[in-house]
């Protein structure tokens, strides 16, 4: 199922949780105008845009068919632009730390937090949780 995020306009569909909690694979869906706030990655990120466009903090516009690699330690933000919902296939390794003023960590997301959120959502919605954890 699509799992709504705490950020309005953002949801994710988990596809796979990687071995030993090292990362996760998801479809990320964000509505036009939605901002992915400032965050830092402890591991690498691979993102392939399927639809919609997003404006990176570097000024680069990423559209359908574009691929973005973010190395460990990368800190960035971006925003969905245009009129179309942005859909991307994303592989997230390690942790994502969302940053507040002065670089303080406001929240953290990793495979364990996303797996717990997936199970919570399935229970709330009365849905069976699929076995999507790599053994």
């Amino acid at each position: 199922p699509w799992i709504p995020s705490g950020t309005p306009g953002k949801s994710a569909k988990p596809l796979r949780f990687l071995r030993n909690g090292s990362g996760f694979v998801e479809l990320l869906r964000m509505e036009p105008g939605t901002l992915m706030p400032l965050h830092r990655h402890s591991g690498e990120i691979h993102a392939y845009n399927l639809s919609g466009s997003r404006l990176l903090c570097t000024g680069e516009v990423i559209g359908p068919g574009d691929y973005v690699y973010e190395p460990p330690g990368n800190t960035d933000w971006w925003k969905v632009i245009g009129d179309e919902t942005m859909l991307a296939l994303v592989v997230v390794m390690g942790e994502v730390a969302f940053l507040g003023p002065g670089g303080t960590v406001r929240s953290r997301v990793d495979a364990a937090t996303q797996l717990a959120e997936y199970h919570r959502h399935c229970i709330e919605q009365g849905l069976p949780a699929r076995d999507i954890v790599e053994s």
Side-chain angles (χ1 to χ4, degrees), residues 32-78:
T34 304
L35 174 71
M36 178 66 77
L38 185 65
H39 58 280
R40 181 179 50 242
H41 302 282
S42 71
E44 59 186 22
I45 304 295
H46 302 269
Y48 181 78
N49 249 55
L50 298 164
S51 65
S53 297
R54 54 194 178 115
L55 174 65
L56 305 183
C57 61
T58 61
E60 183 179 5
V61 174
I62 304 300
D66 289 338
Y67 166 81
V68 174
Y69 169 76
E70 298 178 42
N74 187 61
T75 300
D76 69 319
W77 61 267
W78 48 271

Side-chain angles (χ1 to χ4, degrees), residues 55-120:
L55 174 65
L56 305 183
C57 61
T58 61
E60 183 179 5
V61 174
I62 304 300
D66 289 338
Y67 166 81
V68 174
Y69 169 76
E70 298 178 42
N74 187 61
T75 300
D76 69 319
W77 61 267
W78 48 271
K79 183 177 182 176
V80 179
I81 59 172
D83 297 330
E84 189 177 357
T85 299
M86 190 278 308
L87 182 64
L89 175 65
V90 182
V91 178
V92 178
M93 302 303 292
E95 175 186 89
V96 180
F98 289 92
L99 306 174
T104 58
V105 176
R106 293 185 357 220
S107 63
R108 298 175 191 276
V109 172
D110 61 15
T113 63
Q114 296 305 91
L115 180 59
E117 185 65 14
Y118 170 67
H119 283 136
R120 183 202 59 76

